[in-house]
Amino acid sequence: MRSLRDPICAIATPPGKAAIGVVRLSGEGALEVAARVFRGKDPRRLPGGRFTLGEVVDPKTGEAIDQALLLVFRAPRSYTGEDAAEFQTHGSPAVLRRVLEALVQAGARVAGPGEFTLRAYLNGRMDLAQAEAVLALVEAEGDLARRQALRGVSGALSERIRRLADRLLDLLAHVQALLDYPEEGVEPHRAEGVIREVLEEVQALLASSRAGRLAQKGARLALIGAPNAGKSSLLNALLGYERALVSPVPGTTRDYLEAPLELFGIPLVAVDTAGVRDTEDPVERAGVERALRIAEEADLVLYVADRSKPRPEPPPLPWERTLKVATKADLPPLWEDPEYLAVSSRTGEGLWALKEAIRKRLLGEASEAVWLLSERQVEALERAKAHLEEALGAPEDLMGLSLEEAVGALNALLGLEVGEEVVERVFRNFCVGK
């Protein structure tokens, strides 16, 4: 691994033209590097948190590159815990590229992916779970993912994990005392009570992992039903605008149509599919087969049936992840079924209840307090869960070993005593400049 103390630099704003661009600089000697490329007040003499206006210049020729605001941070009160500076220039790609080149000529090197956050972790500014939350916040596409990632950055998940680890360490100390001094220690049934309480919290966190994944990565919502069941109208109603063509002619939709949608902060891709029925038309039959494949691959299926017409025979669907929807609730019904949510795309009746049902089916009963944000966190908690289950009912000596392993798994989630390969796995997905 390359040095993690030398000055590094990177463009921190996305590619493309913008009013403002930011170039970051951090590390030992960062302010000396900044002084070589900045014409104005000497960055080395500025207190932390102070802005100054000047020019970024070529360190070899003195040619002005751009006007810039320079913000200085003093260690340890910076994102990385090191001396750092940010140059706020015009957002031209040419300007940002030249500023970066100037910093490299002045003695910095271009940062690797996530190296600023890696230094923050190594310098004790955050733990590994918080670092993963930084990545989740950068990648958040929906408001729910943003809120969860921000909780992670603030340390809410880390604090909960620390509390669990502390409870197990206290218990481990008592169990060890019971082994060393039989007349002291904790009663076995009390030990089991603590283990069960911690295990329950671990299981609750694990139950949030699917919700966290869907909030972060999004979900696919497939609309399936017979021709003219109201799928396209329902899609338009969910979107709030006309995306799908609506026609009384059966078989209008012969292929699938996708549209992005956000419900309660969850990013979705809603898929309107061809009407499912027996047909001799080879094109329509291909559309029906594709619709059923889409249903199999979707995170949630809406089976749509028109209750103003005779009840259709449902197609084979993954019913464990299917919501049943009865459309055209504004018309007199020919059938009713309490398993179906009655909705009118024309009047909006039942639409809110349907959206709420979609949210519950996707997120389950997961509380919004704290969610797991990565597969690494899930793996660590799965190990902790397995060791806690081993500890239940075990003799004191074996219970102590299992508790030690459970604490180790919880600490690994926070990045304590983990190997270099784990740290590299976390940071390899970061963008350069973060």
Side-chain angles (χ1 to χ4, degrees), residues 96-306:
L96 294 171
R97 187 166 56 249
R98 287 282 280 120
V99 172
L100 191 67
E101 290 171 356
L103 290 172
V104 171
Q105 290 173 358
R109 66 170 172 83
V110 177
E115 192 168 351
F116 290 92
T117 305
L118 173 60
R119 291 188 176 198
Y121 161 67
L122 294 175
N123 291 328
R125 297 290 290 172
M126 63 179 67
D127 59 43
L128 205 55
Q130 288 175 292
E132 288 172 314
V134 170
L135 177 60
L137 188 57
V138 170
E139 294 183 339
E141 296 186 7
D143 197 55
L144 184 56
R146 176 197 62 79
R147 295 199 302 270
Q148 280 299 321
L150 190 59
R151 289 190 183 104
V153 172
S154 71
L157 173 62
S158 302
E159 181 58 31
R160 189 163 172 181
I161 295 299
R162 286 192 191 95
R163 287 201 304 268
L164 296 178
D166 286 345
R167 292 193 68 187
L168 293 181
L169 282 172
D170 288 343
L171 177 59
L172 182 57
H174 285 295
V175 170
Q176 193 62 48
L178 182 62
L179 290 171
D180 295 339
Y181 308 98
E183 68 279 5
E184 303 289 344
V186 64
E187 293 296 328
H189 71 276
R190 178 59 188 146
E192 285 210 10
V194 173
I195 294 170
R196 289 189 186 280
E197 289 171 4
V198 174
L199 183 58
E200 186 175 325
E201 284 205 54
V202 167
Q203 289 170 329
L205 282 170
L206 284 170
S208 75
S209 62
R210 182 175 185 272
R213 178 181 62 80
L214 291 177
Q216 192 70 24
K217 303 299 183 183
R220 288 180 69 81
L221 178 70
L223 283 73
I224 305 291
N228 283 117
K231 299 184 298 300
S232 298
S233 296
L234 182 58
L235 174 65
N236 291 339
L238 289 171
L239 294 173
Y241 63 90
E242 289 195 12
R243 173 68 176 86
L245 177 65
V246 176
S247 169
V249 179
T252 302
T253 304
R254 294 194 166 201
D255 203 350
Y256 68 95
L257 180 150
E258 296 184 351
L261 168 67
E262 185 172 314
L263 288 181
F264 299 102
I266 310 168
L268 303 174
V269 175
V271 189
D272 183 20
T273 62
V276 177
R277 65 174 177 180
D278 292 329
T279 176
E280 298 301 321
D281 186 322
V283 176
E284 188 178 358
R285 186 165 62 249
V288 171
E289 292 171 355
R290 178 169 290 177
L292 296 177
R293 284 199 304 272
I294 289 171
E296 284 296 327
E297 296 167 359
D299 295 288
L300 184 63
V301 177
L302 299 186
Y303 172 61
V304 181
D306 181 356

Side-chain angles (χ1 to χ4, degrees), residues 9-24 86-93 95-97 99-100 116 138 431-434:
C9 57
I11 298 170
T13 40
K17 299 176 182 178
I20 296 172
V22 175
V23 180
R24 309 178 82 179
E86 288 188 358
F87 297 86
Q88 296 186 10
T89 69
H90 293 93
S92 156
V95 167
L96 294 171
R97 187 166 56 249
V99 172
L100 191 67
F116 290 92
V138 170
C431 58
V432 173
K434 190 60 185 171

